[in-house]
Amino acid sequence: MKRQLMQVLFVNVLMFLPLADALAGSPAQVQKTPAETVRPPAADATHAQEIDKAYRQQLRNGSLMIGHTSLALMALEHGVLDVASQDVDVALKLARTLEKSVPEFKSRDTLSFGKLTHEEESATRVFYIPIVDESFMVHGLDTRGRKHEKIRETDAKMIHTHVSLDIRKAVSGLTDAKAALEKKDAKAAETALNGILSAAVADEVIVSDPLHVAHDNLVLAENLLREKRYEAARFALKYASKGFEDYGSRLHDPARKQHVEQMQKDIDALAEQLRKEDPTRLQKAADTVKGWGAKVKKWFGHPSPQHGHKPEPQGR
């Protein structure tokens, strides 16, 4: 009897041990737990990449939405309602895409915009054109080549800003603008679109490095020149020149200082020729400015000059 009892107890102990191991969780079994509870390192990396990819797409969509909203306002400024409607449709589509992924969005990174300021009589209008990889992401700034005589371009500079979007309000505003344009009510459409821009682009970040200020505004000037917006390009060149002036004042290397001073002179000379709309300079101005920007970019991280800056030949 005792022998039988011992056998039963022994079997029960053997049955209990696997159960205890299961409750404690062996390494093989832990890997089978839900992904959100325990995620293997490789899966963690993939998950982070997916989140970053989604964020970058949101940045792009938000940036483009702001750009098309600005282009719609430019079209309204010139009284071209059908072009404004096209840009509103694109902006609304982008906003609805954003709405599906996130109701509110605030960028942790700054975005680059060409901030253009126009004045017409007593009205001041500001437009934001996104720039990525040193190029406008959206085109059409000439608005079919029309130019309103009363419109003056009073400023153009590169800015860096965080974007904050209540996507639902953006969708609502763009929907209102679309409805207003269908009724040919340009004023109501303008009010709705300005409301979106003023809420989205409010936190401009000051760039303290003068060399980056110079480079950024050369990039903007090049893009404006390719769009044949010569007056706006002159403002961007002015900011680039000021960046070089501030940068030069901090230099102790005579060769680099001379290099910077010569480039500043060439920029100022080009700006003056753009004011006169000298055709001999207009044809190659964008390529010239692009070359300057490329030279400056090489200076980042190099305290001393690599090659001297040769004066640009000036047209008569």
Side-chain angles (χ1 to χ4, degrees):
M1 181 68 180
K2 288 182 179 180
R3 184 176 181 179
Q4 290 177 343
L5 180 60
M6 289 295 291
Q7 287 176 336
V8 171
L9 289 172
F10 183 71
V11 171
N12 284 340
V13 168
L14 289 176
M15 292 178 65
F16 175 75
L17 286 174
L19 178 61
D21 286 342
L23 290 173
S26 65
Q29 289 165 325
V30 168
Q31 290 180 5
K32 295 179 182 178
T33 55
E36 57 272 15
T37 304
V38 179
R39 185 183 299 275
D44 274 339
T46 302
H47 184 62
Q49 289 171 355
E50 289 174 354
I51 291 175
D52 186 66
K53 182 179 179 180
Y55 169 72
R56 296 295 164 190
Q57 187 62 47
Q58 289 167 357
L59 275 183
R60 181 179 185 278
N61 288 340
S63 182
L64 278 171
M65 191 205 80
I66 291 169
H68 281 286
T69 300
S70 285
L71 289 176
L73 282 166
M74 281 189 175
L76 288 175
E77 182 181 54
H78 289 263
V80 191
L81 272 62
D82 58 335
V83 173
S85 295
Q86 293 169 15
D87 281 304
V88 166
D89 285 343
V90 176
L92 183 55
K93 183 178 179 180
L94 289 163
R96 285 173 173 160
T97 299
L98 279 167
E99 189 179 31
K100 292 177 183 177
S101 61
V102 60
E104 293 186 9
F105 177 73
K106 182 171 178 61
S107 65
R108 59 178 180 267
D109 299 288
T110 59
L111 296 177
S112 300
F113 289 93
K115 181 179 179 181
L116 314 180
T117 306
H118 293 183
E119 288 185 4
E120 184 180 6
E121 297 178 348
S122 60
T124 299
R125 301 184 181 93
V126 178
F127 311 98
Y128 298 93
I129 307 301
I131 295 179
V132 173
D133 296 329
E134 301 192 357
S135 297
F136 279 121
M137 287 190 70
V138 287
H139 296 273
L141 293 180
D142 271 337
T143 318
R144 293 181 173 179
R146 301 188 184 192
K147 186 177 178 68
H148 200 297
E149 291 181 0
K150 294 182 180 180
I151 298 171
R152 294 189 305 115
E153 294 174 319
T154 57
D155 201 17
K157 63 181 176 180
M158 182 83 91
I159 65 163
H160 300 271
T161 180
H162 290 286
V163 170
S164 179
L165 286 169
D166 185 326
I167 310 299
R168 292 162 297 192
K169 288 183 178 179
V171 169
S172 176
L174 288 164
T175 301
D176 290 345
K178 181 179 176 68
L181 287 169
E182 288 172 351
K183 298 175 183 176
K184 307 298 182 185
D185 188 344
K187 189 64 178 177
E190 183 180 355
T191 300
L193 296 174
N194 276 324
I196 296 168
L197 286 188
S198 61
V201 187
D203 183 17
E204 292 187 23
V205 177
I206 302 300
V207 179
S208 58
D209 183 353
L211 191 59
H212 280 82
V213 170
H215 174 264
D216 285 352
N217 284 286
L218 285 174
V219 169
L220 177 59
E222 180 206 340
N223 280 277
L224 291 168
L225 287 167
R226 296 198 188 284
E227 297 286 343
K228 296 180 172 58
R229 301 183 71 85
Y230 302 120
E231 189 63 27
R234 287 183 63 243
F235 287 108
L237 289 173
K238 177 189 72 174
Y239 286 108
S241 179
K242 182 63 167 63
F244 280 120
E245 181 182 346
D246 294 341
Y247 177 62
S249 67
R250 303 180 184 184
L251 287 174
H252 300 289
D253 185 303
R256 171 58 62 87
K257 194 175 185 69
Q258 183 180 8
H259 192 169
V260 169
E261 288 173 351
Q262 185 58 58
M263 183 168 280
Q264 187 181 356
K265 289 178 182 178
D266 287 341
I267 289 171
D268 292 343
L270 177 59
E272 178 61 22
Q273 288 164 347
L274 290 177
R275 185 182 67 79
K276 298 176 181 177
E277 295 195 0
D278 182 347
T280 61
R281 294 292 283 167
L282 296 181
Q283 294 175 2
K284 61 176 184 177
D287 289 336
T288 297
V289 174
K290 182 178 181 179
W292 292 341
K295 288 179 183 178
V296 174
K297 198 170 185 178
K298 291 179 180 178
W299 292 357
F300 297 154
H302 294 286
S304 59
Q306 302 293 306
H307 302 284
H309 177 74
K310 295 180 181 179
E312 294 289 335
Q314 306 299 323
R316 294 182 180 178

